[in-house]
Amino acid sequence: MRRSDLQADALAFMYAHEFVDQAIDESELYNPLAHDIEYPTKAPLSDQVIDRNEVAEKVIFVTLADLCAARRLVLSLRPIERVLGQHWVCRVFQLFGYPRHVLLVKRDGTFPNSPINQALNNLFDSLVVPGSDFLAEPRLPVRRLLQLLFRSRGEDRDPYNEVLQWVGEELIDEGFYFEATDVSAGVVPFRQAHPDLEKMRDVADRVALLRERLATFERREPELFGALKETVARAMKELAVLHTRRTTL
Protein backbone atom coordinates (compact mmCIF):
# COMPACT_ATOMS: atom_id res chain seq x y z
CA MET A 1 0.00 0.00 0.00
CA ARG A 2 2.24 2.74 -1.28
CA ARG A 3 1.21 6.35 -0.80
CA SER A 4 -0.13 6.42 -4.35
CA ASP A 5 -2.27 3.37 -3.59
CA LEU A 6 -3.98 4.79 -0.51
CA GLN A 7 -7.74 4.71 -0.93
CA ALA A 8 -10.76 5.73 1.12
CA ASP A 9 -10.58 2.84 3.60
CA ALA A 10 -7.02 3.63 4.76
CA LEU A 11 -7.55 7.41 4.70
CA ALA A 12 -10.76 7.20 6.73
CA PHE A 13 -8.97 4.94 9.23
CA MET A 14 -6.05 7.31 9.83
CA TYR A 15 -8.12 10.51 9.68
CA ALA A 16 -11.15 9.06 11.48
CA HIS A 17 -11.80 12.32 13.34
CA GLU A 18 -12.69 14.00 10.03
CA PHE A 19 -15.37 11.48 9.09
CA VAL A 20 -17.18 10.40 12.27
CA ASP A 21 -20.34 12.07 13.50
CA GLN A 22 -19.37 12.29 17.14
CA ALA A 23 -16.08 12.61 19.01
CA ILE A 24 -15.01 14.08 22.34
CA ASP A 25 -11.83 15.70 23.57
CA GLU A 26 -9.55 13.37 25.50
CA SER A 27 -9.42 15.81 28.41
CA GLU A 28 -13.13 15.15 29.02
CA LEU A 29 -12.56 11.48 29.80
CA TYR A 30 -12.70 10.39 33.42
CA ASN A 31 -10.96 7.08 32.67
CA PRO A 32 -8.41 6.92 29.85
CA LEU A 33 -9.16 4.42 27.08
CA ALA A 34 -6.69 2.07 25.45
CA HIS A 35 -5.37 3.72 22.30
CA ASP A 36 -4.16 0.91 20.10
CA ILE A 37 -4.39 -0.44 16.58
CA GLU A 38 -6.98 -3.10 17.38
CA TYR A 39 -9.32 -0.69 19.12
CA PRO A 40 -8.26 2.76 17.87
CA THR A 41 -10.42 4.89 20.12
CA LYS A 42 -8.15 7.85 19.55
CA ALA A 43 -7.71 9.49 16.16
CA PRO A 44 -3.92 9.64 15.67
CA LEU A 45 -3.81 13.22 14.37
CA SER A 46 -6.13 14.81 16.92
CA ASP A 47 -6.93 14.84 20.63
CA GLN A 48 -10.41 13.52 19.96
CA VAL A 49 -11.60 10.14 21.20
CA ILE A 50 -14.03 8.17 19.09
CA ASP A 51 -16.07 5.05 19.70
CA ARG A 52 -14.25 2.24 17.89
CA ASN A 53 -17.51 1.00 16.35
CA GLU A 54 -18.08 4.34 14.69
CA VAL A 55 -14.54 4.33 13.31
CA ALA A 56 -15.18 0.95 11.66
CA GLU A 57 -18.64 1.96 10.46
CA LYS A 58 -17.32 5.11 8.81
CA VAL A 59 -14.44 3.24 7.17
CA ILE A 60 -17.02 1.05 5.41
CA PHE A 61 -19.32 3.97 4.60
CA VAL A 62 -16.56 6.22 3.26
CA THR A 63 -15.18 3.35 1.14
CA LEU A 64 -18.56 2.73 -0.49
CA ALA A 65 -19.42 6.42 -0.78
CA ASP A 66 -16.14 7.20 -2.53
CA LEU A 67 -16.77 4.44 -5.07
CA CYS A 68 -20.24 5.89 -5.62
CA ALA A 69 -18.80 9.39 -6.00
CA ALA A 70 -16.52 8.04 -8.74
CA ARG A 71 -19.53 6.22 -10.26
CA ARG A 72 -17.76 2.89 -9.92
CA LEU A 73 -20.71 1.82 -7.78
CA VAL A 74 -24.21 2.83 -8.84
CA LEU A 75 -26.95 3.16 -6.22
CA SER A 76 -30.71 3.09 -6.65
CA LEU A 77 -33.73 3.01 -4.35
CA ARG A 78 -36.53 0.49 -4.80
CA PRO A 79 -39.80 1.08 -2.92
CA ILE A 80 -40.80 -1.59 -0.41
CA GLU A 81 -44.47 -2.30 -1.13
CA ARG A 82 -45.07 -5.62 0.58
CA VAL A 83 -44.25 -7.19 3.93
CA LEU A 84 -45.17 -10.84 4.40
CA GLY A 85 -46.71 -10.58 0.94
CA GLN A 86 -49.23 -7.94 1.98
CA HIS A 87 -49.54 -4.26 1.05
CA TRP A 88 -51.48 -3.31 4.20
CA VAL A 89 -48.95 -4.99 6.50
CA CYS A 90 -46.21 -2.98 4.79
CA ARG A 91 -48.06 0.31 5.33
CA VAL A 92 -48.65 -0.48 9.01
CA PHE A 93 -45.01 -1.43 9.57
CA GLN A 94 -43.82 1.72 7.85
CA LEU A 95 -45.91 3.85 10.21
CA PHE A 96 -43.68 2.48 12.97
CA GLY A 97 -40.36 3.09 11.25
CA TYR A 98 -40.00 0.15 8.86
CA PRO A 99 -37.95 1.27 5.83
CA ARG A 100 -39.86 2.59 2.82
CA HIS A 101 -37.09 1.76 0.35
CA VAL A 102 -34.33 -0.79 -0.10
CA LEU A 103 -30.99 0.53 -1.31
CA LEU A 104 -29.56 -1.39 -4.27
CA VAL A 105 -26.05 -1.32 -5.69
CA LYS A 106 -24.35 -2.49 -8.86
CA ARG A 107 -20.74 -2.36 -10.01
CA ASP A 108 -19.65 -0.29 -12.96
CA GLY A 109 -16.04 -1.17 -13.69
CA THR A 110 -13.30 -2.24 -11.29
CA PHE A 111 -12.11 -0.52 -8.14
CA PRO A 112 -8.72 0.94 -7.17
CA ASN A 113 -6.67 -1.49 -5.12
CA SER A 114 -7.07 -1.37 -1.34
CA PRO A 115 -7.98 -3.92 1.35
CA ILE A 116 -11.76 -3.43 1.21
CA ASN A 117 -11.93 -2.47 -2.46
CA GLN A 118 -10.17 -5.69 -3.46
CA ALA A 119 -12.60 -7.74 -1.38
CA LEU A 120 -15.52 -5.96 -3.08
CA ASN A 121 -14.01 -6.67 -6.51
CA ASN A 122 -13.66 -10.35 -5.67
CA LEU A 123 -17.19 -10.46 -4.27
CA PHE A 124 -18.78 -9.01 -7.40
CA ASP A 125 -16.68 -11.34 -9.57
CA SER A 126 -17.91 -14.33 -7.57
CA LEU A 127 -21.54 -13.41 -8.33
CA VAL A 128 -20.98 -13.57 -12.09
CA VAL A 129 -21.42 -17.28 -12.71
CA PRO A 130 -23.38 -19.13 -15.42
CA GLY A 131 -27.06 -19.39 -14.58
CA SER A 132 -26.90 -16.79 -11.82
CA ASP A 133 -29.83 -14.39 -11.45
CA PHE A 134 -27.19 -11.72 -10.96
CA LEU A 135 -26.39 -11.87 -14.69
CA ALA A 136 -29.93 -10.81 -15.61
CA GLU A 137 -30.23 -8.25 -12.81
CA PRO A 138 -26.74 -7.24 -11.63
CA ARG A 139 -27.93 -5.38 -8.56
CA LEU A 140 -28.19 -6.45 -4.96
CA PRO A 141 -29.21 -4.74 -1.72
CA VAL A 142 -26.38 -2.92 0.04
CA ARG A 143 -27.35 -4.76 3.20
CA ARG A 144 -26.81 -8.06 1.38
CA LEU A 145 -23.53 -6.81 -0.06
CA LEU A 146 -22.18 -6.18 3.44
CA GLN A 147 -23.37 -9.58 4.65
CA LEU A 148 -21.49 -11.26 1.81
CA LEU A 149 -18.46 -9.02 2.31
CA PHE A 150 -17.97 -10.09 5.92
CA ARG A 151 -18.83 -13.70 5.14
CA SER A 152 -15.97 -13.70 2.64
CA ARG A 153 -13.58 -13.02 5.49
CA GLY A 154 -14.01 -16.58 6.69
CA GLU A 155 -14.50 -17.12 10.40
CA ASP A 156 -17.42 -15.55 12.21
CA ARG A 157 -16.05 -12.33 13.72
CA ASP A 158 -17.33 -9.10 15.15
CA PRO A 159 -17.70 -6.82 12.08
CA TYR A 160 -16.43 -3.71 13.83
CA ASN A 161 -13.29 -5.35 15.10
CA GLU A 162 -12.81 -7.10 11.76
CA VAL A 163 -12.71 -3.79 9.84
CA LEU A 164 -10.17 -2.30 12.24
CA GLN A 165 -7.85 -5.29 12.03
CA TRP A 166 -8.39 -5.68 8.29
CA VAL A 167 -7.33 -2.14 7.41
CA GLY A 168 -5.10 -1.53 10.43
CA GLU A 169 -2.83 -4.49 9.76
CA GLU A 170 -2.24 -3.27 6.21
CA LEU A 171 -1.24 0.14 7.55
CA ILE A 172 1.17 -1.48 10.01
CA ASP A 173 2.72 -3.52 7.22
CA GLU A 174 3.21 -0.39 5.11
CA GLY A 175 4.81 1.64 7.89
CA PHE A 176 2.02 4.04 8.81
CA TYR A 177 2.18 2.44 12.26
CA PHE A 178 5.41 1.15 13.73
CA GLU A 179 6.94 -0.62 16.74
CA ALA A 180 3.95 -2.87 17.18
CA THR A 181 4.12 -4.75 20.47
CA ASP A 182 1.93 -7.18 22.37
CA VAL A 183 0.84 -5.78 25.71
CA SER A 184 -1.87 -6.60 28.22
CA ALA A 185 -4.62 -4.61 29.87
CA GLY A 186 -5.29 -6.77 32.92
CA VAL A 187 -5.52 -10.27 31.47
CA VAL A 188 -6.58 -9.13 28.00
CA PRO A 189 -3.75 -9.03 25.43
CA PHE A 190 -3.87 -6.57 22.57
CA ARG A 191 -1.57 -5.30 19.87
CA GLN A 192 -0.30 -1.79 20.42
CA ALA A 193 1.14 0.20 17.56
CA HIS A 194 2.39 3.76 17.35
CA PRO A 195 1.36 5.97 14.43
CA ASP A 196 4.00 7.54 12.22
CA LEU A 197 2.45 11.00 12.41
CA GLU A 198 4.78 12.58 9.88
CA LYS A 199 3.96 9.94 7.31
CA MET A 200 0.25 10.31 8.02
CA ARG A 201 0.36 14.10 7.68
CA ASP A 202 1.96 13.66 4.27
CA VAL A 203 -1.36 12.32 2.94
CA ALA A 204 -3.49 15.21 4.20
CA ASP A 205 -3.95 16.41 0.62
CA ARG A 206 -5.46 13.07 -0.35
CA VAL A 207 -7.85 13.25 2.59
CA ALA A 208 -8.94 16.74 1.54
CA LEU A 209 -9.67 15.48 -1.98
CA LEU A 210 -11.61 12.55 -0.53
CA ARG A 211 -13.75 14.90 1.56
CA GLU A 212 -14.41 17.04 -1.51
CA ARG A 213 -15.55 13.99 -3.49
CA LEU A 214 -17.91 12.95 -0.71
CA ALA A 215 -19.29 16.47 -0.38
CA THR A 216 -19.93 16.57 -4.13
CA PHE A 217 -21.70 13.22 -3.97
CA GLU A 218 -23.86 14.44 -1.08
CA ARG A 219 -24.82 17.64 -2.95
CA ARG A 220 -25.47 15.77 -6.19
CA GLU A 221 -27.52 12.93 -4.71
CA PRO A 222 -28.48 13.73 -1.11
CA GLU A 223 -31.14 11.03 -0.88
CA LEU A 224 -28.78 8.26 -1.97
CA PHE A 225 -25.96 9.62 0.21
CA GLY A 226 -28.23 9.60 3.27
CA ALA A 227 -29.65 6.16 2.44
CA LEU A 228 -26.15 4.70 2.10
CA LYS A 229 -25.05 6.16 5.41
CA GLU A 230 -28.11 4.85 7.22
CA THR A 231 -27.99 1.44 5.54
CA VAL A 232 -24.34 0.87 6.45
CA ALA A 233 -24.97 1.83 10.07
CA ARG A 234 -27.98 -0.48 10.35
CA ALA A 235 -26.30 -3.39 8.58
CA MET A 236 -23.18 -3.19 10.75
CA LYS A 237 -25.30 -3.20 13.92
CA GLU A 238 -27.33 -6.17 12.66
CA LEU A 239 -24.17 -8.13 11.88
CA ALA A 240 -22.71 -7.32 15.29
CA VAL A 241 -25.89 -8.46 17.07
CA LEU A 242 -25.96 -11.71 15.11
CA HIS A 243 -22.28 -12.32 15.91
CA THR A 244 -22.94 -11.75 19.62
CA ARG A 245 -25.89 -14.14 19.61
CA ARG A 246 -23.96 -16.86 17.82
CA THR A 247 -20.95 -16.61 20.11
CA THR A 248 -22.86 -16.42 23.41
CA LEU A 249 -25.43 -19.18 22.95
Side-chain angles (χ1 to χ4, degrees):
M1 192 191 299
R2 298 164 301 177
R3 183 183 185 279
S4 59
D5 294 331
L6 289 176
Q7 300 298 325
D9 45 10
L11 297 174
F13 187 104
M14 292 185 289
Y15 280 73
H17 60 288
E18 296 200 18
F19 297 98
V20 297
D21 295 324
Q22 185 175 12
I24 62 173
D25 189 271
E26 190 173 16
S27 63
E28 299 175 18
L29 290 176
Y30 179 72
N31 291 318
L33 302 177
H35 301 155
D36 58 86
I37 194 65
E38 187 174 354
Y39 304 101
T41 50
K42 183 179 180 183
L45 299 172
S46 81
D47 292 326
Q48 293 177 313
V49 177
I50 309 164
D51 180 76
R52 67 144 190 154
N53 289 1
E54 189 171 3
V55 175
E57 176 190 312
K58 290 305 184 293
V59 167
I60 292 291
F61 166 70
V62 170
T63 299
L64 295 178
D66 192 40
L67 292 171
C68 293
R71 302 189 186 277
R72 295 175 184 268
L73 284 178
V74 180
L75 298 176
S76 58
L77 287 167
R78 182 180 67 198
I80 298 175
E81 299 177 344
R82 294 174 181 268
V83 174
L84 302 177
Q86 301 293 324
H87 288 288
W88 71 269
V89 174
C90 181
R91 289 196 292 271
V92 171
F93 275 35
Q94 288 172 347
L95 289 174
F96 293 93
Y98 190 83
R100 296 182 179 274
H101 298 86
V102 59
L103 185 65
L104 304 174
V105 61
K106 70 176 182 178
R107 179 175 64 172
D108 188 3
T110 57
F111 311 146
N113 188 42
S114 76
I116 296 177
N117 282 358
Q118 188 58 50
L120 289 169
N121 262 329
N122 293 338
L123 174 55
F124 278 105
D125 288 344
S126 71
L127 296 173
V128 183
V129 295
S132 170
D133 292 338
F134 190 74
L135 291 175
E137 181 53 65
R139 300 188 301 171
L140 72 160
V142 170
R143 179 173 172 270
R144 177 62 175 162
L145 176 71
L146 294 180
Q147 290 173 342
L148 293 173
L149 179 66
F150 284 102
R151 186 179 298 173
S152 71
R153 296 289 293 168
E155 297 179 14
D156 180 26
R157 299 166 180 164
D158 174 77
Y160 298 110
N161 189 40
E162 183 65 14
V163 171
L164 301 180
Q165 291 193 2
W166 190 355
V167 181
E169 287 177 359
E170 288 278 349
L171 290 170
I172 288 176
D173 291 342
E174 296 302 325
F176 287 93
Y177 289 82
F178 59 93
E179 296 180 4
T181 56
D182 292 328
V183 297
S184 296
V187 295
V188 180
F190 61 89
R191 188 180 188 188
Q192 187 177 49
H194 308 284
D196 186 332
L197 298 181
E198 182 177 354
K199 194 170 184 178
M200 288 184 179
R201 291 190 183 103
D202 285 343
V203 301
D205 56 336
R206 297 179 65 87
V207 176
L209 291 173
L210 171 60
R211 287 172 58 85
E212 288 180 16
R213 292 195 297 271
L214 298 185
T216 299
F217 172 36
E218 185 176 15
R219 288 194 303 269
R220 186 180 69 212
E221 299 179 280
E223 186 176 19
L224 292 177
F225 184 92
L228 179 62
K229 188 175 184 179
E230 181 180 357
T231 301
V232 170
R234 285 189 176 187
M236 293 283 285
K237 288 183 177 67
E238 289 174 2
L239 290 167
V241 169
L242 288 173
H243 167 75
T244 299
R245 288 175 178 173
R246 286 192 293 264
T247 54
T248 56
L249 290 179

